[in-house]
Amino acid sequence: MTDLAAEDMVIRDTSDVTDFARNCFHGSAGDQVGVELEFLVFDRTSPDCHVPLARVAGALPPLPGGSRVTFEPGGQLELSGPAGPLPEAIARLAADVDAARAALREAGLVLAGVGLDPIRPARRQLRLPRYEAMAEFLGTPYGSLMMCSTASIQVNLDLGDRPAVRWERAHLLGPVLTAAFANSPLSGGRPCGWMSGRQAVWENLDRTRTAPVPATGDPAAAWAEYLLDARLMLVRENGDRCRTVRDGSTFRDWLAAPARPLTLADLAYHATTIFPPVRPRGWLEIRYLDAQRPADWPVCVAVTHALVMDDRAAETAIAAAEPYAGMWPGAARHGLAEPRLRKAAETCFRAALAALPRLGVSAGLIREVAAFADRHVTTGRPPAADLLDLVKGPPRRLSAWLTEEGQG
């Protein structure tokens, strides 16, 4: 993406921002995928309590698949698997998830595959300068919830030799895939009114940085305009210090009247504070998918990869999904209870199932995709529906689900 050697280059005008944006669409012409999984971590004996980040870190073993371990501000565990062909990327990350789960189990902890913490209030554990400034800018309650209580699956895809095509597909599929994998309907132990409460959180944050990038015939130009018109969140000063920008100014405003010369490094850092559902970084970051149970995340990755990367599957899926491409809030609120999205999702899953053998996916994973479709898509009951069922019964059913092996 960014030429690190040129990061001290002074930005002269918006044409330099356009050049940066175009560079974000230059990457591998291959078909690799990288996956970043976030999990909430619960204490098996005290699910209402927050688990100290150090306790989780201390329990983790060396990971056989080579995933990078990081933590989100609220202590969410993130495993970022090495990029590779779809079967290899899933296999390596699955080995790491299994190793992490086993080690945490021995420490009395469990990984919960859910997009929004269903019972605990937001509480930040990491106090890095970036997070301090981010928390101040985003405010409460939604900034705190996003930083501390949400978990997602991020699917990173090669741009291929037609980046604009994959960019467009990732957007057009967004509402249907959001609905099919909606898995965050609870907050504070009660229904929050959305099947994807995690997406509801994003809907309520600064929309200059969280709305989808507008569709145009030139994705790089659209991304440049998005970067320019997004409000500044923070400015780095004196090494690690960060200053929150409170006046509502955009990067375009900053560029028009800079207090100091702006560099490519300033722009690159600004881009890391921009969170649209799909973001270009020399690859495509698909960011709109709720975290799934440890047993189901490979289904989510395989389906998303197949529908964006396989041309035959994409042709069928896009024809079904495109009429509903603007239904982001409706998909998050209603999930597959919206009949048009359910019908489109059924078509998309059939297309993915036809493509997976061509992509070298194992027969076992293909069966898991088919089983997920039968359980959640055909019935119009995404994973969120199962969570809603838990709060209709005895009070401790939800706590038991969060801490039992039945999650996986």
Side-chain angles (χ1 to χ4, degrees):
M1 193 182 76
T2 305
D3 181 357
L4 296 179
E7 282 199 342
D8 60 352
M9 183 189 80
V10 173
I11 298 175
R12 300 161 299 174
D13 52 37
T14 59
S15 66
D16 288 334
V17 178
T18 300
D19 290 343
F20 172 89
R22 294 200 181 284
N23 202 31
C24 292
F25 285 88
H26 293 161
S28 172
D31 295 316
Q32 294 195 114
V33 58
V35 183
E36 300 176 25
L37 299 180
E38 294 173 350
F39 292 103
L40 301 171
V41 183
F42 287 85
D43 186 308
R44 298 187 61 148
T45 60
S46 302
D48 294 338
C49 296
H50 291 273
V51 179
L53 185 154
R55 181 180 171 194
V56 180
L60 290 172
L63 298 179
S67 292
R68 181 169 58 94
V69 175
T70 54
F71 291 91
E72 293 298 304
Q76 307 97 308
L77 173 65
E78 181 176 71
L79 301 179
S80 302
L86 178 63
E88 177 185 327
I90 288 178
R92 294 182 68 176
L93 185 52
D96 290 344
V97 172
D98 289 346
R101 291 182 72 201
L104 292 176
R105 187 186 309 122
E106 289 296 317
L109 303 174
V110 64
L111 295 181
V114 60
L116 179 65
D117 197 313
I119 58 175
R120 299 176 300 193
R123 192 181 80 182
R124 188 153 54 94
Q125 298 195 46
L126 291 178
R127 298 287 172 179
L128 302 176
R130 173 184 169 96
Y131 295 143
E132 294 288 329
M134 184 180 294
E136 182 179 353
F137 180 90
L138 295 174
T140 59
Y142 295 106
S144 298
L145 285 169
M146 183 276 284
M147 295 177 69
C148 304
S149 300
T150 61
S152 70
I153 295 177
Q154 183 171 300
V155 181
N156 301 321
L157 300 175
D158 276 350
L159 288 158
D161 55 9
R162 295 182 298 162
V165 171
R166 291 184 178 176
W167 171 259
E168 181 183 44
R169 289 173 182 173
H171 283 86
L172 294 177
L173 291 164
V176 171
L177 293 179
T178 294
F181 292 106
N183 190 35
S184 49
L186 305 174
S187 182
R190 298 183 301 275
C192 66
W194 296 68
M195 298 299 268
S196 177
R198 185 186 69 86
Q199 280 296 110
V201 169
W202 285 106
E203 287 283 335
N204 282 282
L205 293 174
D206 172 25
R207 297 299 284 166
T208 72
R209 63 186 357 92
T210 64
V213 178
T216 70
D218 186 344
W223 179 230
E225 291 298 303
Y226 196 101
L227 290 168
L228 285 163
D229 292 333
R231 294 169 58 201
L232 285 167
M233 174 183 285
L234 56 93
V235 176
R236 292 183 296 179
E237 295 180 336
N238 300 326
D240 291 335
R241 290 183 56 198
C242 294
R243 174 175 58 85
T244 307
V245 178
R246 304 182 182 90
D247 62 6
S249 58
T250 66
F251 194 88
R252 191 188 302 274
D253 296 330
W254 198 22
L255 185 57
R260 59 170 173 78
L262 300 183
T263 67
L264 189 59
D266 293 317
L267 176 57
Y269 194 79
H270 173 62
T272 71
T273 72
I274 308 300
F275 310 114
V278 185
R279 184 168 68 175
R281 295 191 64 192
W283 60 88
L284 291 184
E285 291 182 347
I286 295 177
R287 306 171 54 86
Y288 48 71
L289 299 162
D290 280 357
Q292 303 292 304
R293 296 185 315 141
D296 286 341
W297 69 262
V299 172
C300 183
V301 173
V303 169
T304 303
H305 181 280
L307 297 182
V308 175
M309 308 289 264
D310 184 273
D311 290 340
R312 287 163 59 187
E315 181 179 5
T316 300
I318 295 302
E322 187 169 11
Y324 317 114
M327 291 181 61
W328 292 92
R333 184 180 290 278
H334 303 294
L336 296 179
E338 160 52 64
R340 294 169 295 177
L341 291 176
R342 180 172 71 248
K343 183 177 179 181
E346 289 183 282
T347 300
C348 288
F349 269 73
R350 285 195 296 270
L353 282 165
L356 291 176
R358 297 194 292 269
L359 298 172
V361 170
S362 69
L365 180 51
I366 293 172
R367 287 192 296 270
E368 291 172 13
V369 173
F372 186 99
D374 288 342
R375 179 176 179 180
H376 296 296
V377 179
T378 303
T379 62
R381 287 176 50 86
D386 292 344
L387 287 171
L388 287 171
D389 286 345
L390 292 174
V391 298
K392 296 176 183 177
R396 291 205 51 82
R397 286 183 68 196
L398 178 58
S399 294
W401 181 87
L402 289 168
T403 57
E404 69 184 8
E405 291 310 306
Q407 269 221 77

